[in-house]
Amino acid sequence: MRRRDGQEGLDRKRPLARYRPRMKNDSISYYSKSAGPAPARLRFAGDVVTDVCVIGGGYTGLSAALHLAEAGARVAVVEAETIGFAASGRNGGQIHTGWRIDQRSLERKLGEAHARDLWNLCEESKALLRERVANYHIDCELKDGLIHGAHNARAAAILADDAEYLRLHYNYTQTRMMNADETAAQTGTPIYKGGSFDAGGGHLHPLKYARGLADAAEVSGATIYEHSPARAVSSARGKVRVQCESGIVLADYALLACDAFTGALAPSLSKYIGHLESYIVATAPLPQALYRAIIPSDAAVADTRHVLDYYRKSADGRLLFGGRETYFFPPPDVATLVRPRMLQVFPALADTPIEYGWHGTVGITATRMPHLGRISDRIFFAYGYSGQGVALAGLGGKLMAEAALGRPERFDVVARVKPDAFPGGQMLRKPLINAALFGFKILDMF
């Protein structure tokens, strides 16, 4: 991309392996039904020259495209399916504070200065989300409030200790602790031994938010192509060449925003990417008495187990409940898998029908920290939000955009967090991660 000072980036020749198609996820979600029909977008065809090619139409790619377009860059987004088709349009819609790793652990691993920089970026991710919703009038049912329910007394003590540490060392005062009685009053279930209420967290309709980001990016000047999978990416002679099914995008920079599926375009990254299938159901609209009794606070709720339950109420009065994870293929009936967990939390829903059940692929890393980096001087990537991508993916996209605009300093704050490879190699990686997941389930039981 030609920078504003007129200089060109460095030449670098490093081809990437060809794209391997991924399995489609065709389960019908409540989100796709309640969001209504999406606007029709062009399928990419022919040859296009642009400043930046963004590969992926989820939160990461749309956030990058929006930031670049706002800065005046020419941007082309190529999405293999439709906007928000994968995790960005299927997730629990929860907005969390912090990374998946607590701040003290990050301080021990990376040093206090680096950990503090990461905290500041994480806080920015929530502010960025709310700012874009407000500035672009995105109707995504955004609400404040997130409860962490402690599944045992030890988890309650850890929640309290973490909240106090953030208050004292990071001046984060949005979290308050609750005893078991108050947690039951706020969530509508007596199963927790305590909990925390984070006013800085929240929840939203994930697909409506993704579509709102896409609309904002287009209004700002970006061009979005759907049903246009990238098949290969390579850099040579100061340009990046993105080979699509029906044409080529020639750009100054390419941003890989494919999350769990990044390894299909960049096989060298596959060893750092794990995949989990996560499951959500939506009940029928609740009767008024049940609606008032379940989550009276109207916050989002997530428990503290390794394989956690997460749930919230929808704008039209349903309970959206997520639980269970698998590494291999999803079951034919998601409701049968998730319903027992839901009834453990809310037995009063025994006679309430489940109207929707769906699954989505979550990209995880061994460190549980996002993995940002470079394939070459002109190809950046960001993925691996490990279940907390509603806010963090928007940050990842913005940081990639800043790097493509010649300001990589904040991108490098996250890129300096080194990834760990999953063990087992290509043949044994899946079985070993599945075994680890089973081990976490056993730990949760005890």
Side-chain angles (χ1 to χ4, degrees):
M1 189 177 105
R2 185 175 294 277
R3 301 202 301 259
R4 294 184 181 275
D5 59 9
Q7 297 180 17
E8 293 284 354
L10 298 175
D11 288 350
R12 188 73 165 266
K13 183 181 296 185
R14 187 180 299 175
L16 296 180
R18 293 189 61 80
Y19 174 89
R20 294 192 300 272
R22 63 180 174 85
M23 185 180 67
K24 286 189 176 182
N25 180 345
D26 294 321
S27 55
I28 298 174
S29 76
Y30 161 75
Y31 297 135
S32 62
K33 290 292 186 181
S34 58
R41 291 186 168 90
L42 294 174
R43 186 188 301 264
F44 181 76
D47 296 336
V48 167
V49 177
T50 191
D51 294 330
V52 183
C53 180
V54 177
I55 304 172
Y59 297 149
T60 302
L62 296 171
S63 175
L66 175 55
H67 190 74
L68 288 162
E70 288 175 333
R74 298 175 299 166
V75 188
V77 180
V78 291
E79 161 58 37
E81 297 289 344
T82 57
I83 293 302
F85 175 84
S88 294
R90 297 174 180 268
N91 64 78
Q94 298 195 351
I95 303 164
H96 287 258
T97 294
W99 307 89
R100 284 298 300 269
I101 305 298
D102 66 90
Q103 281 301 119
R104 269 179 291 195
S105 296
L106 287 175
E107 288 174 3
R108 288 192 294 269
K109 180 177 181 178
L110 304 172
E112 183 176 347
H114 192 181
R116 189 167 294 276
D117 287 342
L118 288 168
W119 169 262
N120 291 336
L121 286 174
C122 203
E123 280 294 278
E124 181 183 327
S125 73
K126 297 184 298 180
L128 176 66
L129 183 154
R130 291 183 167 102
E131 175 187 301
R132 285 171 166 171
V133 168
N135 289 349
Y136 289 99
H137 307 288
I138 300 175
D139 180 13
C140 60
E141 303 164 14
L142 175 62
K143 295 182 179 180
D144 294 335
L146 178 82
I147 295 171
H148 282 107
H151 72 287
N152 60 28
R154 180 174 180 271
I158 291 173
L159 283 176
D161 191 43
D162 286 345
E164 181 67 4
Y165 190 83
L166 291 178
R167 184 185 71 82
L168 291 175
H169 295 271
Y170 289 86
N171 196 32
Y172 188 76
T173 58
Q174 300 254 54
T175 298
R176 64 179 180 84
M177 292 305 301
M178 304 182 295
N179 61 24
D181 289 340
E182 185 181 0
T183 304
Q186 295 284 354
T187 62
T189 177
I191 68 171
Y192 301 122
K193 306 304 181 184
S196 63
F197 189 99
D198 180 11
H203 58 101
L204 48 68
H205 189 300
L207 183 56
K208 288 185 178 180
Y209 176 55
R211 290 181 180 178
L213 286 178
D215 293 342
E218 288 177 323
V219 166
S220 300
T223 302
I224 298 176
Y225 301 96
E226 294 183 326
H227 303 291
S228 304
R231 297 304 190 193
V233 184
S234 60
S235 56
R237 294 190 294 275
K239 294 289 183 181
V240 177
R241 186 178 185 271
V242 179
Q243 177 69 58
C244 297
E245 278 190 341
S246 302
I248 295 170
V249 182
L250 192 65
D252 294 316
Y253 291 91
L255 309 183
L256 306 188
C258 311
D259 195 41
F261 308 105
T262 303
L265 280 172
S268 64
L269 299 176
S270 295
K271 61 185 177 182
Y272 302 116
I273 305 172
H275 310 78
L276 289 176
E277 291 298 320
S278 187
Y279 303 93
I280 306 178
V281 298
T283 68
L286 302 176
Q288 279 301 310
L290 270 178
Y291 180 83
R292 289 192 297 269
I294 289 177
I295 324 179
S297 61
D298 204 17
V301 184
D303 71 21
T304 51
R305 293 183 298 176
H306 293 92
V307 184
L308 73 161
D309 295 331
Y310 53 98
Y311 49 92
R312 62 189 185 89
K313 290 190 291 193
S314 67
D316 61 352
R318 304 169 188 269
L319 180 68
L320 309 180
F321 192 97
R324 304 296 298 269
E325 295 173 347
T326 64
Y327 194 85
F328 292 101
F329 298 110
D333 184 3
V334 171
T336 300
L337 183 70
V338 177
R339 185 180 182 86
R341 289 283 286 265
M342 183 182 76
L343 294 183
Q344 288 179 9
V345 182
F346 297 113
L349 294 176
D351 296 326
T352 301
I354 289 177
E355 292 191 347
Y356 300 92
W358 66 98
H359 63 98
T361 305
V362 181
I364 64 171
T365 63
T367 62
R368 293 301 188 269
M369 289 292 288
H371 185 196
L372 276 62
R374 299 165 174 82
I375 298 294
S376 73
D377 292 335
R378 295 180 175 275
I379 303 173
F380 300 86
F381 60 83
Y383 67 86
Y385 307 103
S386 300
Q388 290 190 190
V390 174
L392 291 178
L395 174 71
K398 181 181 179 181
L399 296 181
M400 279 201 297
E402 290 178 355
L405 290 168
R407 302 189 302 274
E409 296 81 11
R410 284 155 37 96
F411 176 86
D412 288 335
V413 169
V414 186
R416 290 204 310 273
V417 180
K418 299 301 181 185
D420 290 337
F422 284 102
Q426 186 172 357
M427 296 298 295
L428 296 178
R429 188 178 304 132
K430 284 187 177 183
L432 287 175
I433 294 177
N434 195 53
L437 179 61
F438 180 76
F440 284 136
K441 292 177 181 178
I442 298 299
L443 286 174
D444 288 337
M445 293 172 61
F446 295 98

